[in-house]
Amino acid sequence: QVQLVESGGGLVQAGGSLRLSCAASGIIVSINSMAWYRQAPGKQRELVATIPSGSRINYADAVKGRFAISRDNAKNTVYLKMNRLKPEDTAVYYCNAGLLGPDKGYLEVWGQGTLVTVSS
């Protein structure tokens, strides 16, 4: 089975930085798009950034200029570098991937989430 495992969350002070990582494992034919979502307490899950193959990277307005998404295709890994963190960035961050599984069927896979807490 295909799994996504996030890491890199933690507690930081406002203005600090963190880098999240998400590695995909299992039998994967190809990964089309990878993305980061987040869910803050009492709020809906929202898209933070997406990095599809062959198209422009997109960021939520709230993180533009502060966050940077990147991917290492050789390692099937996506990263989210977060700079100048704000308390409102506090959330559980989830990795998401759209990919082709071993039967060539399309799969959307979610990671378990990693908690980012930004103190003021």
Side-chain angles (χ1 to χ4, degrees):
Q1 62 183 31
V2 179
Q3 297 186 57
L4 303 179
V5 179
E6 302 103 330
S7 62
L11 174 64
V12 298
Q13 293 184 332
S17 299
L18 283 175
R19 190 181 74 159
L20 306 182
S21 299
C22 171
S25 63
I27 301 175
I28 302 169
V29 175
S30 64
I31 298 178
N32 180 31
S33 64
M34 302 191 80
W36 288 97
Y37 289 74
R38 68 184 182 185
Q39 188 166 18
K43 295 185 177 181
Q44 298 291 320
R45 187 173 298 186
E46 64 177 353
L47 178 66
V48 176
T50 182
I51 184 168
S53 298
S55 59
R56 180 176 293 183
I57 294 170
N58 286 307
Y59 296 95
D61 289 342
V63 307
K64 285 182 178 178
R66 298 189 298 117
F67 291 12
I69 189 171
S70 62
R71 60 191 287 183
D72 184 336
N73 292 328
K75 297 181 179 179
N76 286 335
T77 299
V78 63
Y79 305 94
L80 184 68
K81 185 66 170 68
M82 304 183 294
N83 299 314
R84 302 191 302 279
L85 283 161
K86 304 174 181 179
E88 52 262 44
D89 294 320
T90 295
V92 177
Y93 285 72
Y94 296 91
C95 179
N96 174 269
L99 51 85
L100 295 180
D103 63 348
K104 302 292 184 69
Y106 177 79
L107 297 174
E108 186 174 0
V109 184
W110 291 89
Q112 82 288 346
T114 185
L115 177 62
V116 173
T117 302
V118 184
S119 62
S120 59

